[in-house]
Structure formats: C-alpha cells, structure tokens
Amino acid sequence: MKKLALIIALVFLINVPAYFSDEIVVKEGESIQECIDAAHDGDIIYIEEGLYYENLVINKSIMLIGRGKVVIDGKGEKVALIEGNGVIIKNITFTNSSDAIVEIDGRNAAILNCTIYKGKYGIAANDTKIIGCTIYGCGGGIVIKNNSIIQANYIYKCGLGIEVYGNNNIIKDNTIHTSGVGLYLQNATNNIIEKCSIYKNNNNQGGIFFLDSSSNLIKECNVSYGSFGIRMIESYNNSILDSTIFKSRYGIKMEKCRENEIKRCRITSNRFGITLENCRNIEIHYNDVAHSHIYSLNAKYSTADARHNWWGNVLPRKMHILLSRIKYFPWLITPLYEDVKTELKEAEETKVKETQRHQVPSKKMFPVKIDDFDPLVDIKVAIKIKRARSMEGEKNYEIKIFIDGMKNETRLKGDVMPDFTAWQNVDDSKQAVDIKFKVGFEIKQITYDLATGNWFGDDFLGDADGYGHIKLNGVEIWFDIFYNDYDKDGLTYWEEVNIYKTDPMKSDYGKDYDKDGLPIEWEDKYGFSDFVVENHSIDYDNDGLNDYEEYYMADWLADPFAKDLFIEVDYMPGYELYEESIQMLYDAFARHNITLHIDVDEELPYMERVYYRTARDFYWEYFLHENVSNPRHGIFHYFILVSYGSSKRGGHAFVGWDNCDSVLLACDYINSWRIGEGRKKAYASLFMHELGHTLGLFDDDFGGIDNESCNVPWMKGYWIYRNYKSCMNYRYAFQLVDYSDGSHGRNDFDDWSNIDLTFFKDSFYYS
C-alpha cells in the first residue's frame, strides 16, 4: 500500500498544473458536465457520493475526484470521453456502455483508484497512466496503444483482461483472473510486462498471448491455471525471464516464432512444459522444467538451443522431438529453484457453487360441484400442438388425441410447429375432462380441470420434461390445453369469479396486477398469483434462467420448471450447421430431459483464421449487436462456425464479455476429416464437445476430458480412458453425440450429472 500511495503521489506531482486552481463541488442531482463546461484548466471538481446518469466529455486539463461512493452510469453510451491533456480522474466508478466506458484521446492522462464495469471496453487509452483500478465485466478490460503505464490494477471477468496494440508500454504488478485471456498483445513492440499475477482464466484460453509481436519482455510474472500459460504466434525477439508458469495445459507454447528466449524460469506441473512448432533459433537456458504430465519439451519442425536446463530428472525422459534440431546436452542434474508448490500460495479462495433447490408452486385438483363451469359459453376444450418432433431422425408419425373419448388426429413429419388444434365439445357440468395422446401403441393420459384450467396425470406442472411437453414412442410433443372462455384471456370463468375476483366478461390478457413484470395469464399457468408480489428472480429448474427470462422466451416454449438450453449460431460461408446435426443434438439432450433450442442466425464475413480478439469482436457485433443491454446475453449461449481458430484443430470455448458462454468451432478442420453423413455426425459431436465447456466440463474435472494422450492408440491415455464414452474424450470426438453417464466401468465419468447449466452466467475456472 505504501508503494502504491507513493506512485499515486508522484502522478499528482507530474500531472497537476503549476498554476492556481479552483475547487468545484458537484452534489447528487446536479450536472457534472455543466461543472466541466464551466471549469478552467487546472480546476479540481469534487463529486459528492451518489448516482449520476451522464455521458461526460472532458476537454480541459482538470481533475475529477470522487468523495465516497460515486457512480456514473452511461445508460448504454460512452461514460467519459477525455479529449484534454493532463486530465486526472480518481475514486470514481464508471459503468454501463456499449462502447468504451472511458475513452482517452488526450495525452498524459491518469486514471487512479477507479472502478470500471459493464461495457464493451473498460478503458481505451493512449499515453495514459492507469493505476490501482478495479475493472470487471468488460469485453476488454484495458485497451492501450502506446506509452502507457498500467500498474497495480485488479482485473477479472473480462473477455481479454489487458490488450496491447502498440509500443513502449509498462504493464506491472497487475492481477488478472477469471477472464478469457489475461494479457493479449498483437502487433506490439518494446513493451515490458513485469511482476504480474495471471491465473485461473478460461480453461480453453489462458494467460499471456502474443500475435505478431516483437521485442517484448515478460519478467518476474506468475502465470498459472489456463489452457496456456504463455503462447506466442509469429512473434520474434521476445524474452521470458525469471517467471513462474505452472498448472496449465501448455506452460509455454510458441508457433512460427524465432529468436525468442526463455531463461531462469520455473515451468512446472503443466501437461506440456515447453512446446515449439515451426520455430527457429529459440534460446532456452537455466530453467526448471519439471513435473510435466506428458512432455517437458515438445518440439516439431523447430530449432533451439535448450542446454543447461533441469528437465525434471537426472536423465531427461519426457522429450518429444520430431524433425527438429534441439541441443539439450549438457543438462542440469539438480533443480535450480525450489518447488513451486512449497512457495506459491493461492491468490484467491475457490468459489464453490451450490445447487439451489426451490419449491415448485403446488397445483392440486380439488372437487368443485357446479351445474355449469362457464355459463357464458358452451364449453369446447382445445388441445393446441405447438411443436412436434420425431426423435432419432426425420420420420412420418401420426398423433391421435382423444378428448372425453372423441378422436382427433394429425399426420406430421420431422420437427415442425404445426397449425393444429383439436377442439371437442364437453359436458359443461363435468369438472374432469379425460384426455389421451396416442402415437403408435403408446398412450399418455391427462386429466384437464375445467375449474382451474390446470391438468394432471402423465404430464403435470414441475415434471422432469416440462408442463405441456410429453415424449411417447419416439415423438416429442409440446402442447397447451384451454377452452373457449368468453373473454379469451386464458383464465377460466370459475377462477376469475372465485379466485381472482375479476370480470369474466372483460379480458385480463396481458394485465399485471401486482406490477412484477409478468402478465396474469403466464403467472396463472405456472401456479403463481398475479395479486401477490413474488420473487421471480429465482431459477427454479437450475437452467440459468429466472422467471423473467423464462417468460421472455415463452414463444420458444421455455418452461420455468424444466431445463431449457438456448444457443445462437452464426456461421461463415460454407459452414452452416446441418439440420441433421441439430436434430442429433436435440436427441442427446432430450434423453436427459433438457430441451435444447438452436437458433441459426447470421452469416459472418469470411476469415481464414479467427484469433481470440476477433472472436470477442464477433460476439459484440453479431451476438450483442453492440448493445450492452441485449436481452440475449444471459439467456443464449453463442457459437461461431468459422474456418479455423487460433490453431488448425477443433475449436474452443471463449469469453466474449464476462463469462464462458461462447464457442468457436473450426469447421475446415472437420471438413478435412469427414465427408457425407460422417461429417454431419462430426459437426454434432464437436459442437457438443465445445458446448460441454460452457456447461462447466473441463480437464480439471476429469483426466479423460481434453486429454491429448487419448488421441492415438500408441499413447496410454487412449487405453486408460477407453471406458469414458463421451464426446469430451478426444478418442470419441467425431463419433459420439453424447456425454457419458458414468456407467461404463473403470475410469469413466458421469458428465450428465456434472454439467452445470448455470455455468455460462457465472463462470469460475479450476475450482
């Protein structure tokens, strides 16, 4: 703290104008912008505690200082645009922008001890000091170009923690975790990254990533728990010195790089210690590369001088060198440094998520004796089929519906939303209406209650697969039951008169009497009351959606008491998802009473390679449509089907904003390995594999997930995890469109019992 205070004091000395300054005080309810407009260079504006809805433009050399908790909300627009030079902002919270929350176009600005959250970018800056800030919930936490100092910041829950697209920046003493990529450099030169702690970022992404960047220094950093610790592609003359990289899939990975150096580092307990692919003249000296699970050195088509390292054993054993010229003799026969496990402490307590259980509103049929359940009409009961789907392929099928013994029928094929309603005149004095669904020889029986409009039997409120949803003889049917009530508001005459005390001759459709945001007909159907304020922020079925989100998706047949999973899919030309693949995915989830909904939406512009930054940008442009309040965020997962990702294999889950709700699927890779019907199954299999990551299935949950040693028969993982019959197992990727249920014997794992449908809204890694 003393060190940080000294840094801030120095910034003040450097930046405060040398001439006399006035002090201006803004109180809640007053305009900050008006005070800025009235201020002169050198003035100090103090902002009193409160919430301010403003979009500031600062074009003067002034200071803004918050007193107490000051929050400035941009209402979806840029919160602060700094055009003046030497501007200092301190102790203020900025939030809510579909663009950069704070954008700095002036020179020599300073942002000190501020909190920034909920925006496409947190701070976008050039020639700026950003010190002691907390930044979270942003697509990009800090985005810088040139000549900036980024120090002692705490960044989490961002797509990319810090992004660097320029030169001569100092990035020091920052902590970044629970993001997609901690630190991202592209076309960046002569930057210093020092004493940063980067850990527990997305299992499919990782710590520090360089693309086409040169002459940068990584020094005395701790990087752990990620798909990669440090990864470089087409980057040259970079140095990694005196750093600790541990507990990642790839400790350090370089691809198409040259003249980089790795010196005096501890690279331990990674699946692969150091990986080189198509690299030239890499210098690797005086490092401890130990406790690697597969290879300590994995070199393909590369040259390197790797002498004077400790490889975890007196005789190096885990060395995989393919068509490469690697000098690693002489090596060290004892370690240079203490074991990481005895020296490092966890920087954050592990968050343990507990499944919440909530009581489903009770619906019971109680006897009512009355001569006519609706004296306003001659009652006709209707069964409307909203959707029907044949499982295990597109088939013809016939649905027969019996209402008090009278038959109605329809013939359908495949997955359709038919315009079919079966109507039947019934006895107006008989409370219970008998209903049967029949497909083939299988029958489901339901009793419809004319008094309340509820139904019971083989389908009921709170059952496993949803109210108004049945499966029989290989066919799924979504339906609704109602009768021809006079005012057509979906409420029965009896409940309007006896329960709600509303007028059965005047429609209440869409009314919200308790003003909780949900209409009476929806609350009535699902057992709530529109005359009692209830807690609708509850996620009853643990699918990640509360009642408001379930209602928002009502047209998609969402049910607040049965699990729904929504995915938007955008695609590049030539990679649209096959309908057959979609139906395979529907089948897999339907067998476990999860209704999967896939919305194939927009075509993306073609690119040969999509790196992490571009994936994030697609997320904001094509999924959120540059709207920080887009309601699809937090309801839908997001998939992009592209040519290739950051590597020429499969794909990966990624963080586009704040949580791991998105997937990049590399389709050219699939197309290269499969044709015809096999390709359709491969699309479904790999789609389901990557989806599993957004449901919380990762390699740290079970050793058979994403394990490269399962790929080929000559590696032991292929045999150790042979009973793990899951698309999460590389051995069965391309082949299986299913997760394992753990029933296949030794070294199997129950994916289905471990998936977390809420993970995409609250993602934590390596817990």
Side-chain angles (χ1 to χ4, degrees), residues 124 354 468 545 654 684 700:
E354 296 182 359
L545 308 182
F654 70 92
D700 64 308

Side-chain angles (χ1 to χ4, degrees), residues 6-78:
L6 178 60
I7 292 168
I8 294 171
L10 288 171
V11 170
F12 271 99
L13 290 173
I14 293 168
N15 286 278
V16 174
Y19 42 83
F20 178 80
S21 65
D22 288 333
E23 293 185 1
I24 304 169
V25 178
V26 185
K27 296 181 180 179
E28 188 173 17
E30 298 177 345
S31 170
I32 302 171
Q33 186 64 56
E34 287 181 5
C35 292
I36 293 171
D37 293 342
H40 300 90
D41 286 344
D43 285 351
I44 302 173
I45 298 176
Y46 291 100
I47 306 172
E48 297 291 344
E49 182 167 320
L51 174 60
Y52 301 79
Y53 292 96
E54 299 206 38
N55 306 100
L56 306 178
V57 177
I58 306 170
N59 52 13
K60 301 168 183 177
S61 299
I62 60 175
M63 296 174 59
L64 266 64
I65 301 176
R67 287 176 170 169
K69 186 176 182 180
V70 176
V71 179
I72 305 178
D73 187 317
K75 300 174 292 184
E77 303 295 328
K78 192 172 297 175

Side-chain angles (χ1 to χ4, degrees), residues 577 580-582 584-585 665 670 679-689 727 736-738:
L577 191 61
E580 294 91 334
S581 304
I582 293 172
M584 292 178 202
L585 291 161
L665 193 63
I670 302 173
R679 179 178 292 176
K680 295 173 183 177
K681 177 172 277 192
Y683 266 75
S685 178
L686 294 183
F687 189 104
M688 192 168 180
H689 173 105
C727 62
L736 286 179
V737 187
D738 204 354

Side-chain angles (χ1 to χ4, degrees), residues 576-599:
E576 188 170 354
L577 191 61
Y578 297 98
E579 177 62 25
E580 294 91 334
S581 304
I582 293 172
Q583 294 299 326
M584 292 178 202
L585 291 161
Y586 286 166
D587 286 346
F589 283 90
R591 288 192 289 268
H592 295 269
N593 294 318
I594 300 170
T595 301
L596 178 63
H597 311 262
I598 295 178
D599 178 21

